[in-house]
Amino acid sequence: MTMAPSDKEILEYERPTCPMEYTMRTIAGKWKLVLLWHIYDKEVIRYGELKRSLPNITHKMLSNQLKELVLSELVHKEMYHQVPPKVEYSLTEKGKTLIPILDIMYQWGTKNMV
């Protein structure tokens, strides 16, 4: 019986060959930068609050993008074993290093949004 590779093993197998490729693979995705910004803005945020702040994202897309951000070690996922389940997201130290870039992008959007 062959076991499927883990998400971490897949990420290792597809290791980028240059820093720009690594950066783009890590943050690429329609919602990743927006999610990082919202998590940064709140410091700690629950799944439901993220979903409410982004009404155009589907549950599947939100879950997938968060999973990828966690695997990339940009976001920390804290699960509380209670009923109903409680999950909180926060930026890791690595994730916080993207904030100056996101801040510049936010400022650009503020100045140029029509």
Side-chain angles (χ1 to χ4, degrees):
M1 177 189 283
T2 305
M3 293 183 66
S6 70
D7 291 329
K8 200 73 160 172
E9 290 170 328
I10 291 170
L11 288 176
E12 290 295 319
Y13 176 74
E14 297 176 353
R15 187 172 296 270
T17 58
C18 79
M20 183 57 83
E21 182 183 359
Y22 170 77
T23 302
M24 293 309 298
R25 280 191 185 187
T26 303
I27 63 173
K30 182 176 180 178
W31 296 98
K32 283 184 184 176
L33 295 175
V34 176
L35 287 169
L36 288 168
W37 186 257
H38 280 274
I39 295 168
Y40 162 70
D41 187 49
K42 297 290 185 182
E43 292 185 22
V44 176
I45 191 167
R46 294 180 63 181
Y47 181 93
E49 189 175 355
L50 273 171
K51 179 65 180 105
R52 282 189 299 279
S53 64
L54 301 167
N56 294 326
I57 193 171
T58 65
H59 284 289
K60 182 177 179 175
M61 179 63 75
L62 178 56
S63 294
N64 287 343
Q65 297 281 274
L66 285 169
K67 180 180 180 182
E68 290 177 19
L69 289 169
V70 169
L71 285 171
S72 298
E73 300 176 344
L74 298 177
V75 170
H76 172 73
K77 178 181 180 179
E78 185 72 34
M79 295 177 56
Y80 298 90
H81 300 288
Q82 63 185 45
V83 177
K86 177 180 173 183
V87 180
E88 293 179 335
Y89 295 92
S90 59
L91 293 182
T92 62
E93 291 304 313
K94 182 178 177 181
K96 290 176 185 176
T97 63
L98 286 169
I99 296 308
I101 298 165
L102 296 178
D103 189 45
I104 290 168
M105 293 172 72
Y106 182 84
Q107 290 175 33
W108 185 89
T110 300
K111 291 178 185 174
N112 293 284
M113 197 165 99
V114 179

